[in-house]
Amino acid sequence: QNLRVWVLVVSGVCSSIGFAESLKEDCRIVVQANSPVKITSYRAYYEHPSTHATTYIETRQEGIHHSVGFQNISDKQIVAVQFGLVSFDIWNEFLDRSLGVSVNNLAPQKKDGGIWVAPRTADFTFHTGVAYVAKVRFSSGEMWTPDMESVVAELKSIEANFDVANLKKKTEK
């Protein structure tokens, strides 16, 4: 009889481990063929204010943290880059759309990075993050904007009925 209890406990522990692993964040980079900026790394995760704090003073900002590494792959000086950062919950439903902006001068082939935090009330349900290059401004004043087909295709691979209107600013119609 003790053997049966032990097998149940071990089985329950293994099931819990598998469940926890299946909830690990899913971070995706949209590959944009003609973008002058390449996203070289992307990590998104939800952080509760006390997740890593050891004292009250060290409490971090609650929300979804988007960490983006990127490189200027053009032959022009870049003065600003805007990233689209889209979040989905554990049910693959749209959660939030944020923007990350870097205004550091970026010479051709140089790398940079940034972290942007999107605080929302339902952030604890975060599961999937998607990053893409939304806009680029060159030192000449020229602007680059993406063809959104690849972005929308990636978002619809997560949520089949994704509403493209979610990518617009709240004031845009």
Side-chain angles (χ1 to χ4, degrees):
Q1 190 170 15
N2 287 342
L3 180 60
R4 275 187 254 157
V5 172
W6 175 250
V7 170
L8 264 168
V9 170
V10 169
S11 172
V13 168
C14 290
S15 298
S16 297
I17 291 169
F19 182 70
E21 288 176 3
S22 69
L23 290 179
K24 184 165 175 35
E25 300 92 8
D26 180 7
C27 304
R28 303 181 187 192
I29 298 170
V30 177
V31 176
Q32 297 164 279
N34 64 345
S35 175
V37 171
K38 178 182 178 182
I39 298 175
T40 57
S41 64
Y42 174 58
R43 178 160 186 248
Y45 59 94
Y46 169 74
E47 186 164 321
H48 188 274
S50 62
T51 301
H52 300 289
T54 56
T55 67
Y56 179 76
I57 295 170
E58 292 179 23
T59 301
R60 297 188 184 195
Q61 186 174 359
E62 180 176 15
I64 300 171
H65 292 235
H66 297 270
S67 175
V68 180
F70 55 97
Q71 180 179 10
N72 177 353
I73 58 172
S74 78
D75 60 354
K76 302 174 185 175
Q77 179 82 14
I78 292 175
V79 295
V81 181
Q82 183 179 74
F83 299 97
L85 306 166
V86 184
S87 302
F88 293 86
D89 65 18
I90 56 176
W91 296 279
N92 291 337
E93 295 173 351
F94 175 77
L95 186 61
D96 184 44
R97 170 242 187 215
S98 302
L99 298 171
V101 178
S102 172
V103 291
N104 296 335
N105 285 328
L106 196 60
Q109 305 310 310
K110 294 298 180 188
K111 295 181 179 182
D112 201 356
I115 299 174
W116 295 274
V117 180
R120 301 287 183 263
T121 56
D123 283 353
F124 67 93
T125 64
F126 170 77
H127 182 259
T128 303
V130 178
Y132 64 94
V133 180
K135 294 180 184 177
V136 175
R137 182 183 182 107
F138 297 98
S139 60
S140 66
E142 176 189 355
M143 307 285 187
W144 177 89
T145 56
D147 173 359
M148 292 298 288
E149 283 185 37
S150 60
V151 174
V152 171
E154 183 65 35
L155 300 175
K156 287 191 175 202
S157 77
I158 299 165
E159 180 183 15
N161 298 322
F162 179 78
D163 184 355
V164 179
N166 289 326
L167 296 178
K168 298 191 185 311
K169 291 180 185 176
K170 301 296 182 214
T171 57
E172 294 177 347
K173 294 294 177 194

